[in-house]
Amino acid sequence: MPNRKKVMFVFGTRPEAIKMAPVVNECRKFPEFLETLVVVTGQHRQMLDQVLRIFKIEPDYDLGIMEANQTLTSIVTKTLTGVEEIILNERPDILLVQGDTSTAFAAGLSAFYYKVPLGHIEAGLRTFDKWQPYPEEINRKLLTSLADLHFPPTTISLEHLLAEKVSRETICLTGNTVIDALLDVAGRKYDLAQTGIKLTPGKKLILVTTHRRENWGGPLRGICSAVKTIAERFHDQVEVVLPVHKNPTVANVVNELLGSLPNVFLTEPLEYEPFIHLMKASYLVLTDSGGVQEEAPSLGKPVLVLRDKTERPEAVAAGTVKLVGANEELIVNETTKLLVDKSEYDKMQRAVNPYGDGRAASRTIYFLLKYFGSADSNPEEFNA
Ligand code: UD1
Ligand code: UDP
């Protein structure tokens, strides 16, 4: 098949894997035109492997770069060296990266060094603050400079790219592939008893996740103290589940401050399927995660974001997500309001889908087919 183009996917962390999986699986539907090559850096080891299992993806290459307490420099240098060798072996026609991790940035830089065209999925997100989130805001800005094709999820992210003079012909507004993954997994049958977490029927479940680098130290302690206060104040009404991120800097603080409360369940990172089904069962979500901010609105769950700034303003504008930062008092007050004031809760509890319609992967691959001359027209874009 002389015209078959080789598409090399590179990713390394849990959220990249979740958001890349639908695109990898879509790419595999066109074997006559596209050859799919999956490279994982293994920036995350256990948390990446969990996702690969759920979506049945077997990588062609695994760089296995993770070290305990790794530095940004270590991730970037090991990825650069590892991806270089694969590019030289495989001579891909395009390299695809997702989001804003150090894996994505370094793989994008490798592509540039070898003049391999680069496609950037989830392009154009911005807070316009170099330190929030750190280092992701700069990673994604650098990726915009490096990329040849840009796949923004929303109109706002598209506008950021246009403001940076990215040419419109190189952009396809797709929606976020996380919604493709979410709809797939949320539609599967799952019995929460399998998680081993013994939830009490009738109690309100608060789902919490936290890991952001800029929250390490004092802010993370503030978040944990707030969770503790809420759990104690509403001990007869509320249960908290907090799957603890594998990062020891996070895990040590969370275990120390929340490890001995009867209604706070600390768990290992959950597989994507149980996690989404817990989110479906929850009353409220507290998170500093990017992906969770996109998924919860789709499931109609109010979110309090444990950050001062977000690159995902769409659900804030829709009124289902509120920024509360890592300030202990504010987190406690806003959570209390949602627990005791039904009208406040009802205002935030609406299913909205500003981030996607489940067809982002299909648009992405169709745009690639057009780019390679195997389709006549561009796909219809996402209409938020
Ligand atoms: C990384 C990304 C961040 C993303 C987050 C998703 C960068 C700089 N950061 O942050 O953008 O939001 O992933 O979760 O790219 N660890 C394990 N097992 C795992 C995963 C992590 O043991 O499966 C531990 C290791 O000790 C590792 C540490 O966590 O060194 C930190 O991992 P790292 O990928 O550097 O940072 P994250 O905070 O996870
Ligand atoms: N997630 C998961 N198990 C968990 C916690 C989160 O599968 O225990 C999923 C979540 O649904 C979302 C993604 O992981 O799709 C978010 O990853 P993370 O918060 O680590 O990174 P971010 O999105 O902030 O980059």
Side-chain angles (χ1 to χ4, degrees), residues 43-44 46-47 67 69-70 102 136 211-212 245 247:
Q43 175 179 334
H44 283 173
Q46 300 88 341
M47 286 160 56
E67 290 168 20
N69 290 306
Q70 62 206 359
S102 292
E136 291 83 3
H211 72 83
R212 291 248 84 82
H245 194 282
N247 192 332

Side-chain angles (χ1 to χ4, degrees), residues 13-16 18-19 44 47 50-51 54 98 100-101 122 136 178 181-182 207-212 242-245 267-276 278-279 287-295 307 312:
T13 64
R14 168 171 68 192
E16 290 167 270
I18 291 168
K19 291 172 171 185
H44 283 173
M47 286 160 56
Q50 284 183 330
V51 182
I54 293 276
Q98 195 285 335
D100 51 22
T101 66
E122 198 186 79
E136 291 83 3
V178 79
L182 174 73
L207 183 61
V208 185
T209 79
T210 178
H211 72 83
R212 291 248 84 82
L242 195 168
V244 186
H245 194 282
T267 71
E268 286 291 307
L270 292 166
E271 300 239 346
Y272 191 52
E273 221 171 331
F275 184 76
I276 291 303
L278 263 184
M279 203 190 291
T287 191
D288 63 11
S289 159
V292 176
Q293 282 180 67
E294 293 156 342
E295 292 160 338
R307 298 167 53 177
R312 293 165 169 92

